[in-house]
């Protein structure tokens, strides 16, 4: 899960798929995100692209790193307080 600082259903309206655009490490990103199932794949794609560009490590599979990121983000969302996340 990737936390966002707003309720997507309120801001964008309830929908099955949300379109996402932006940049990660100055690399353009355009994707369709279909709830929680697509997030690890999206992150893995970004990691793979960054690894191929030499921006991030390439000695660990992108899908393994993506699963770690998703797990870490989930744990961050469940943290008791904001300072516990930032320390």
């Amino acid at each position: 899960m990737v936390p966002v600082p707003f309720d997507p259903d309120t801001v964008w309206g309830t929908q099955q798929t949300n379109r996402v655009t932006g940049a990660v490490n100055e690399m353009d990103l355009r994707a369709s995100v279909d709830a929680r199932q697509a997030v690890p794949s999206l992150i893995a794609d970004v990691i793979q692209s960054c690894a191929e560009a030499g921006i991030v490590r390439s000695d660990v599979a992108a899908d393994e790193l993506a699963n770690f990121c998703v797990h870490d983000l989930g744990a961050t969302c469940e943290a008791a307080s904001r300072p516990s996340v930032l320390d």
Side-chain angles (χ1 to χ4, degrees):
M1 182 182 342
V2 177
V4 293
F6 59 89
D7 179 5
D9 288 340
T10 301
V11 175
W12 298 330
T14 303
Q15 48 194 336
Q16 182 68 25
T17 302
N18 290 304
R19 307 243 185 261
V20 178
T21 60
V24 175
N25 286 337
E26 299 180 9
M27 295 183 71
D28 290 335
L29 168 70
R30 289 181 59 179
S32 295
V33 179
D34 184 6
R36 295 181 188 189
Q37 294 175 341
V39 171
S41 177
L42 173 69
I43 293 173
D45 289 348
V46 170
I47 291 171
Q48 183 64 40
S49 295
C50 290
E52 290 170 1
I55 297 169
V56 299
R57 64 188 299 171
S58 61
D59 61 327
V60 178
D63 60 340
E64 186 176 343
L65 290 173
N67 287 334
F68 175 81
C69 291
V70 169
H71 174 71
D72 195 40
L73 286 169
T76 300
C77 291
E78 296 172 7
S81 67
R82 185 168 173 81
S84 67
V85 173
L86 299 175
D87 293 337

